[in-house]
Amino acid sequence: MRAFFLLLTLICIAWEAASAADKQAESETRWRDWIETDFPFFSAVVDAREVADAPIDNNLTPRALVFPLGDHCFLAYDVDLLRVAVVWSTADSPFVNAGSAVISYPYQGNKAPGGTTSLPIPNGPLWYQNGIYAGVGVGQPRFQDPRRELPAEEKVVQGGLDPTLARFLGISLTSGGTIHYEVGGTVEVSERFALQQDGLWRHLQIGPHAEPVYVVLAKENKTISVRCQGDGVVESLQRHLVCRIRSSSKPQSVSILHSPHDQSLLRSATSRLSGGKTPAKRWPDEVRLPLPPANLERVLNLEELPLPLENPYGRAVRAASVDFFADGRAALVTFDGDVWLGNRFRPGATEVVWTRFTSGLHEPLSLQIRDEEIFVFDRNGIWRLVDRDENGEADFHELFCSRIDQTADTREFAAALEVEQDGSFLVCKPGQTGTFSAVL
């Protein structure tokens, strides 16, 4: 009997291990299918706290823009601390574990676990990373978190920096993913990333500034070398590599090269560049669907809004929120991070025409139109989505407000956004459910 129970225990352990391996393989497949190869970035939580051989044990980024710089190279940018959180290479899926938008219903009939114990982890060798501190600033760098102290032991509910120190402004899509931010309250900086044959380049354009500007490049390690072109100087400070840019009354250009000692990490260097040329219209194909006639004989009149569930881009359309422009056009946001525009919602119409407006949002659940502009609330904050050239697609994501604290907990959803009578926004979101309470 004892031998029987021992055998049964071993079978259960083997089954659980096989089940875990199957789930991991499924999540890796989902990442490959979910990431759009023709869009410059996607959003995710990035957990590099326990990456093998990593020298930093608290590198958790609740709000990351992830740039696929090649088929096998990824860069995670922290919009709260304005830092390159981590850069890594992979031969397969970019992450171990999947985010909620990647694995949850209806893809596999299950959902991502709650809490912070099963977050997306970089899957492959790291080039470099940074700790929890501001990645840019004026004056002297400080390698500690400048945000307020919190009572909980796991200090992850922090939100963005004080805007007088630095703040993320937005990301341009027409230039292939150029990020824009402000340093010291007045100095505007634009930056793009490019993977080339000699390594990873950070190209910065810096406005006039009375004080020196710094960029924290990486925690020192033996896997990369760094050099600078233009108006910056790279130096080592408290075991960190820092680029200092002297004060100037004129705009400055700085390019910084991170070159890995292992040249095999550059195998896909020519496959994709952030900041490259963008086509005039990224998603030209429309989705036309018949519009069912309204049934006006019932006490409660319900009119169906057909969605582009089948579309030429292979995107899942899990409708999260919809709002309408003054002319009757609809704007729809999906949990996968896409915004669609619906046209021809008018009396007598027989079809609706859907077109894609933008992508890359972080598990959004609410969209509002204020003064004929689209605002979306996602885990990164409130975005204003701008179509500057009026071609029907967004070309700039402005981070309108990121002062709303956000943790990495998978159940801390960006739940609701409402427009008040005075034009201000009211947001609703839960706190952490699997670890400890949030501070709002």
Side-chain angles (χ1 to χ4, degrees):
M1 181 66 70
R2 187 174 299 175
F4 170 77
F5 283 114
L6 177 60
L7 177 60
L8 183 61
T9 300
L10 292 175
I11 290 174
C12 291
I13 292 173
W15 182 86
E16 289 181 1
S19 177
D22 289 342
K23 288 182 179 180
Q24 179 56 38
E26 289 174 349
S27 71
E28 291 178 0
T29 300
R30 279 303 315 152
W31 275 112
R32 292 194 298 271
D33 294 341
W34 185 80
I35 295 172
E36 290 197 282
T37 57
D38 63 346
F39 201 74
F41 72 96
F42 60 91
S43 297
V45 172
V46 178
D47 184 2
R49 292 175 296 179
E50 298 182 5
V51 176
D53 301 323
I56 302 173
D57 61 4
N58 64 344
N59 190 7
L60 174 62
T61 309
R63 291 169 164 167
L65 303 183
V66 182
F67 295 84
L69 298 179
D71 291 338
H72 303 284
C73 182
F74 294 84
L75 180 150
Y77 188 85
D78 185 339
V79 298
D80 277 340
L81 289 171
L82 284 80
R83 66 186 181 116
V84 174
V86 60
V87 179
W88 73 100
S89 291
T90 181
D92 200 350
S93 168
F95 294 108
V96 176
N97 302 327
S100 294
V102 179
I103 199 173
S104 294
Y105 307 108
Y107 295 131
Q108 295 174 311
N110 57 15
K111 57 185 179 180
T116 60
T117 59
S118 185
L119 301 173
I121 299 171
N123 181 29
L126 303 190
W127 290 35
Y128 65 91
Q129 59 177 325
N130 280 293
I132 304 299
Y133 39 72
V136 296
V138 296
Q140 185 71 12
R142 297 180 60 195
F143 304 107
Q144 60 187 41
D145 194 338
R147 298 170 295 184
R148 71 186 188 277
E149 291 286 337
L150 296 175
E153 291 183 4
E154 303 98 328
K155 296 176 181 178
V156 295
V157 196
Q158 299 280 36
L161 293 170
D162 185 324
T164 62
L165 298 177
R167 68 186 182 102
F168 188 85
L169 299 177
I171 181 166
S172 173
L173 305 181
T174 54
S175 56
T178 298
I179 60 175
H180 301 262
Y181 50 88
E182 189 178 75
V183 180
T186 58
V187 183
E188 292 193 11
V189 181
S190 64
E191 179 176 359
R192 64 184 182 91
F193 310 106
L195 183 67
Q196 298 179 345
Q197 292 292 338
D198 50 356
L200 171 62
W201 285 91
R202 299 179 65 177
H203 299 293
L204 292 85
Q205 299 291 325
I206 306 166
H209 50 104
E211 293 185 76
V213 170
Y214 67 85
V215 181
V216 181
L217 304 178
K219 185 79 177 289
E220 281 187 347
N221 62 61
K222 298 179 181 180
T223 61
I224 62 166
S225 58
V226 178
R227 62 183 175 88
C228 183
Q229 294 180 354
D231 299 311
V233 175
V234 175
E235 60 184 56
S236 177
L237 183 64
Q238 298 180 34
R239 300 182 64 186
H240 290 79
L241 296 174
V242 178
C243 180
R244 290 183 182 272
I245 301 101
R246 65 181 184 276
S247 59
S248 174
S249 60
K250 298 179 180 180
Q252 295 172 298
S253 297
V254 176
S255 292
I256 306 159
L257 173 65
H258 300 72
S259 184
H261 297 160
D262 182 358
Q263 291 298 299
S264 68
L265 299 178
L266 296 171
R267 60 189 168 206
S268 64
T270 59
S271 63
R272 182 164 180 165
L273 304 177
S274 171
K277 240 181 145 180
T278 304
K281 200 165 177 65
R282 192 185 303 273
W283 302 295
D285 295 333
E286 300 175 339
V287 179
R288 294 174 175 267
L289 298 171
L291 193 61
N295 186 344
L296 304 179
E297 297 180 356
R298 294 177 295 186
V299 175
L300 178 62
N301 179 31
L302 297 177
E303 298 184 43
E304 290 187 24
L305 182 65
L307 302 178
L309 302 179
E310 296 185 7
N311 56 80
Y313 309 105
R315 296 295 283 176
V317 178
R318 293 181 283 175
S321 182
V322 65
D323 201 2
F324 294 87
F325 293 95
D327 62 4
R329 290 178 300 129
L332 169 78
V333 68
T334 73
F335 189 60
D336 286 56
D338 302 330
V339 174
W340 293 77
L341 299 182
N343 204 352
R344 302 192 181 178
F345 291 106
R346 60 177 66 94
T350 58
E351 70 172 1
V352 57
V353 179
W354 289 102
T355 56
R356 290 191 66 183
F357 186 67
T358 198
S359 187
L361 299 168
H362 195 180
E363 300 173 12
L365 287 174
S366 190
L367 177 151
Q368 289 287 330
I369 294 175
R370 187 187 74 172
D371 297 331
E372 298 299 281
E373 293 183 314
I374 299 175
F375 292 83
V376 173
F377 181 34
D378 75 352
R379 292 173 69 98
N380 292 326
I382 301 174
W383 295 94
R384 175 164 33 200
L385 307 178
V386 185
D387 178 11
R388 291 173 170 171
D389 60 7
E390 299 183 348
N391 73 338
E393 295 181 356
D395 44 43
F396 190 78
H397 289 195
E398 176 194 339
L399 191 52
F400 181 79
C401 177
S402 63
R403 298 286 284 169
I404 306 161
D405 291 348
Q406 176 68 50
T407 78
D409 192 302
T410 60
R411 296 299 180 269
E412 190 174 334
F413 298 112
L417 177 70
E418 294 292 337
V419 181
E420 299 292 275
Q421 290 185 350
D422 62 358
S424 61
F425 288 110
L426 175 66
V427 301
C428 174
K429 64 189 297 293
Q432 290 182 281
T433 62
T435 49
F436 60 98
S437 60
V439 177
L440 300 178

